[in-house]
Amino acid sequence: MTHKGRIVFAVALTSTLGLGLTACNDGEDSASTQESPSASAPASSDPAGESPSADPSDDAAAPAGGDVAAPGTKLKIGDRAILPFKYGTEKKGTIAVTVTAIEKGAEADMAAFGEKAKGMTPYYIRMKVENVGGTDLSYSSLKLRGKLAGGGPTGVILIGDLPGKCDSESAPREFAAKGASYETCSLSATKTDPIAAASFEEGDAYSDSPVLWTS
């Protein structure tokens, strides 16, 4: 399932207030803007309104199919990491994530976001997600965040995708059995240095010390 339609993102640059922008790529002629000191713009594309997080303390997040990657693990593009995963309040288990590419897009790709996106360069984090725990994780979704070299933040938070460029896919109905897999893409962007890493930071342990994939 591809998440299309309204895309929301927040820009958070150090020394400036956050800027919230809502842009439509479904043919609407105008976009509404809102300035706010908050750098978050929540959105959910799941029909049940669930949001993903990981909780390594959950029983259902026990190692399956190999050892779970410890917080702070550093990997290369193409490496596979087994991770605890929780989606909403009911779905939890163990997944394996393989980042297959971090691709640089063109500034023109950000046109759908309007004037506030000028100067931003998008990056497309492509990945394969596997169900290694065998629990029902159908219709869940996962987002990895782009990081600068050394793991620093980009200063830009994006929620959504760019259809045809970077399609954020949710897990299919069949993603409820061990061995099931799907491919997806996380959109990230920067106004400064290039994005050099992809970061898994779901759950308390990983938010402080994320798993990073670099080239």
Side-chain angles (χ1 to χ4, degrees), residues 9-214:
F9 75 89
V11 183
L13 301 175
T14 54
S15 77
T16 66
L17 293 178
L19 298 175
L21 170 65
T22 300
C24 298
N25 63 356
D26 56 2
E28 294 182 7
D29 295 327
S30 62
S32 60
T33 62
Q34 178 182 1
E35 295 199 10
S36 166
S38 171
S40 63
S44 174
S45 55
D46 182 83
E50 296 177 330
S51 60
S53 64
D55 185 350
S57 67
D58 288 328
D59 292 339
D67 294 332
V68 166
T73 298
K74 292 179 172 58
L75 303 166
K76 295 294 185 181
I77 301 297
D79 287 346
R80 179 176 181 264
I82 296 176
L83 298 161
F85 183 71
K86 182 178 179 182
Y87 190 81
T89 58
E90 297 181 355
K91 294 187 177 184
K92 54 190 176 183
T94 309
I95 60 174
V97 178
T98 304
V99 175
T100 57
I102 300 176
E103 298 176 359
K104 181 181 179 181
E107 183 180 336
D109 295 344
M110 299 293 289
F113 291 119
E115 290 296 316
K116 289 190 174 74
K118 282 189 174 181
M120 291 185 187
T121 301
Y123 284 79
Y124 311 137
I125 301 171
R126 306 193 188 280
M127 73 195 90
K128 178 181 179 181
V129 185
E130 303 169 64
N131 186 335
V132 298
T135 56
D136 184 359
L137 299 174
S138 56
Y139 307 116
S140 61
S141 62
L142 173 70
K143 180 177 176 63
L144 301 185
R145 300 196 181 279
K147 296 291 184 180
L148 306 182
T154 66
V156 178
I157 299 173
L158 296 175
I159 301 173
D161 58 7
L162 287 175
K165 299 285 187 179
C166 183
D167 293 297
S168 176
E169 305 284 352
S170 60
R173 181 179 58 186
E174 295 78 17
F175 200 66
K178 186 174 182 179
S181 67
Y182 70 101
E183 295 182 1
T184 186
C185 179
S186 288
L187 176 64
S188 193
T190 178
K191 272 192 169 183
T192 56
D193 297 331
I195 288 176
S199 171
F200 174 87
E201 48 195 70
E202 302 291 349
D204 292 340
Y206 294 96
S207 64
D208 294 333
S209 188
V211 173
L212 292 176
W213 287 263
T214 59

